Each structure stands twice: as structure tokens, then as C-alpha cells.
Amino acid sequence: MRQKLPDPKKAALYSALLPGLGQAYNKSYWKIPIIYAGAAGIGYFIWWNNDNYQKYKQGLLTYDPDDPTANTFPNLDEAGLERRVKYYRRNRDLLIISAGFLYLLNIVDASVDANLQEFKLYKDVLGMKPAVLNVGNSDPTAGITLSFHLN
């Protein structure tokens, strides 16, 4: 009996609608936690960098060189605040782009995995296992045997 293969277009569409759904359609369930862990990590660092960006931006807006005690960050001058604002904004923006790449990677992975499902049907054709080999007059040596099973 021939197994029905998943449709790559459907898998890509499902992953576009809800990340991980295409992987579930392909029965690659182990990939779903990886997708969501990556999204959670990127999301956390976007939030963290944006939070720091907003703090330093507010500190820069309220910076008064004549009254250092009134400044939010008394140990930083205006140039130091500007550097930190640029640093956290840049990191936040790069992480947002990374989130987009993760989303696209999720879609591409679902489509490619659906396309490669046919090769999983033939996994028993090639066998590989460890073996002890006697090569010439030398001592037994560890090796690998390859076997092809043709029907």
C-alpha cells in the first residue's frame, strides 16, 4: 500500500497561517518546540532591547549638562547616552529582522520537509552499522558496513 505524501504547498500555507502547523501536517512534531523556543527567545530580546532603548532615549531627552544631579543616568554624558540609544535601537531592529527570518524559515522548512517525505519511505534501502573488520594481517579494526536492500 502506498503512503499518501504531504502536499508542499499546503504545508507552506499552514506554516504561514500558524508557525509550526506545517510541521505538524508533515508529522515532524519535534520541530514545533524549536520554532516556538526560537520565537520566544527572539521576542524576549526584542522586549529587553526596546526597554533599554526607551530608558536611554528618555534619559537623553531629559539630559541637562548644567545640572548633572537631575539626570537619569548621572554617570553618562550626552555622547554616552547617544551611543547607548543607537546600540539598543540597532539590536532591537536586527532582532525584529531575525524574527522575520525565523518566520520565513518555518515556512520554507515545512515546504522542503513535505517535498523530502518521499525519501523517508526508502530509509530501509540503505543500511549502516558498526562492524569489526579484519584487514589483511593486521589486528581487528573498528569500521562501518554499508548494505543495500533491493526488492
Side-chain angles (χ1 to χ4, degrees):
M1 184 168 113
R2 188 160 171 104
Q3 182 181 351
K4 187 177 181 233
L5 297 172
D7 179 20
K9 290 179 185 176
K10 267 190 189 177
L13 177 66
Y14 290 162
S15 272
L17 294 174
L18 179 66
L21 192 57
Q23 284 74 10
Y25 173 72
N26 292 335
K27 294 182 176 60
S28 295
Y29 302 109
W30 64 272
K31 294 179 181 180
I32 298 170
I34 295 170
I35 293 168
Y36 282 98
I42 290 172
Y44 170 77
F45 284 110
I46 288 172
W47 169 82
W48 186 78
N49 279 288
N50 188 58
D51 188 48
N52 283 319
Y53 165 69
Q54 296 298 334
K55 287 177 189 174
Y56 285 109
K57 182 179 171 186
Q58 187 61 37
L60 183 61
L61 292 174
T62 60
Y63 179 76
D64 183 9
D66 298 329
D67 186 12
T69 59
N71 294 329
T72 311
F73 301 98
N75 296 336
L76 294 174
D77 61 351
E78 190 172 8
L81 288 170
E82 286 175 355
R83 273 193 310 274
R84 282 178 171 74
V85 166
K86 287 179 184 177
Y87 174 79
Y88 288 113
R89 183 181 59 224
R90 179 179 169 273
N91 284 350
R92 180 202 59 191
D93 293 348
L94 287 174
L95 284 161
I96 290 169
I97 292 168
S98 298
F101 279 128
L102 179 65
Y103 176 72
L104 290 175
L105 180 64
N106 154 65
I107 296 169
V108 169
D109 173 68
S111 179
V112 169
D113 192 34
N115 272 311
L116 296 178
Q117 288 289 320
E118 183 177 351
F119 293 105
K120 290 182 181 177
L121 296 177
Y122 301 110
K123 66 183 174 189
D124 295 331
V125 171
L126 177 65
M128 235 174 45
K129 58 184 176 182
V132 177
L133 306 172
N134 289 319
V135 182
N137 293 334
S138 66
D139 293 332
T141 308
I144 297 175
T145 59
L146 293 174
S147 59
F148 293 97
H149 303 283
L150 304 174
N151 294 331

